[in-house]
Amino acid sequence: MYAIPLGDDGAELRPLEPWQADEFLAHIDRGREFIGQFNALPDFVTDLESSRAFLQAYAEKTAADAGRIYGIRTDGTLVGAVIFRRMDVAQGTAEAGCWLEPSAVGRGLVTRAVRTIIDWAVEERGIHRVEWWVCAGNKPSIAVARRLGMTRDGVLREAYLYRGERHDEEIWSVLAPDWRAARQAR
């Protein structure tokens, strides 16, 4: 399997596949409470079967060119992931997302990983608009959107029902011309 280096610290990005369900479940278990603050993933990846089903759904999205999932690894250990939750190549749109377990927070891993997948989406797949949907209370994820040069398009008031509470959801995006201009400036 191939790996894409995310910098000089040994972090790397690799595809996640159904055969890695054991490792994926262990990762979710290590970060279950932390990840679950804003992300429902720990609520439905609860055992080996559901872990495999989640990864299989992304394998099917990959085969249909409608989404992707990549694991973030440090020292060979899966510590997080970045995804294209949805991708519509014909329309030129994609929605990116992420999560990390607590041991990996604060090292810029998500920013570097999302930058890598946006580069791929824009340059290889011709995606024109990449979106970032985030609970308004998720300050670290909003900071990632800002670091990536995304623009806040708006707020969907109380649109996100999560664990019995309604939350505002912000939509951030970056357009391919802006992404390319920012990359040239780096």
Side-chain angles (χ1 to χ4, degrees):
M1 177 184 293
Y2 70 88
I4 300 169
L6 292 177
D8 297 335
D9 60 359
E12 59 186 19
L13 199 60
R14 292 185 189 185
L16 280 171
E17 299 176 3
W19 62 269
Q20 296 166 305
D22 285 335
E23 180 183 26
F24 186 70
L25 179 60
H27 153 64
I28 295 299
D29 285 343
R30 286 191 303 272
R32 190 166 297 282
E33 281 187 46
F34 182 78
I35 295 166
Q37 293 175 80
F38 299 103
N39 186 326
L41 181 63
D43 294 349
F44 58 88
V45 174
T46 57
D47 57 19
L48 188 55
E49 183 179 339
S50 58
S51 179
R52 187 173 291 111
F54 179 81
L55 294 177
Q56 182 63 41
Y58 270 93
E60 291 168 13
K61 283 184 178 190
T62 298
D65 205 17
R68 298 280 191 286
I69 186 169
Y70 302 94
I72 300 171
R73 296 177 179 278
T74 59
D75 301 318
T77 301
L78 181 63
V79 296
V82 291
I83 58 174
F84 282 121
R85 288 187 61 219
R86 60 178 181 77
M87 196 166 81
D88 185 332
V89 176
Q91 287 294 315
T93 61
E95 178 191 346
C98 69
W99 63 86
L100 285 175
E101 59 186 67
S103 67
V105 171
R107 297 165 41 188
L109 294 170
V110 166
T111 302
R112 291 184 273 161
V114 174
R115 188 174 286 132
T116 299
I117 68 170
I118 292 175
D119 279 345
W120 173 82
V122 167
E123 299 305 335
E124 299 295 325
R125 300 303 301 127
I127 297 297
H128 177 73
R129 175 185 169 88
V130 176
E131 296 178 349
W132 188 262
W133 291 52
V134 57
C135 178
N138 190 343
K139 301 304 179 200
S141 189
I142 291 169
V144 168
R146 285 190 174 112
R147 282 192 298 274
L148 291 169
M150 292 184 165
T151 299
R152 189 175 106 169
D153 294 330
V155 177
L156 300 175
R157 296 177 310 128
E158 296 186 8
Y160 182 50
L161 180 61
Y162 183 60
R163 296 183 175 171
E165 289 186 44
R166 292 216 163 265
H167 301 269
D168 291 351
E169 192 163 31
E170 296 185 11
I171 301 173
W172 292 71
S173 70
V174 65
L175 304 179
D178 299 330
W179 183 257
R180 289 183 183 115
R183 191 176 61 222
Q184 287 179 345
R186 282 188 234 146

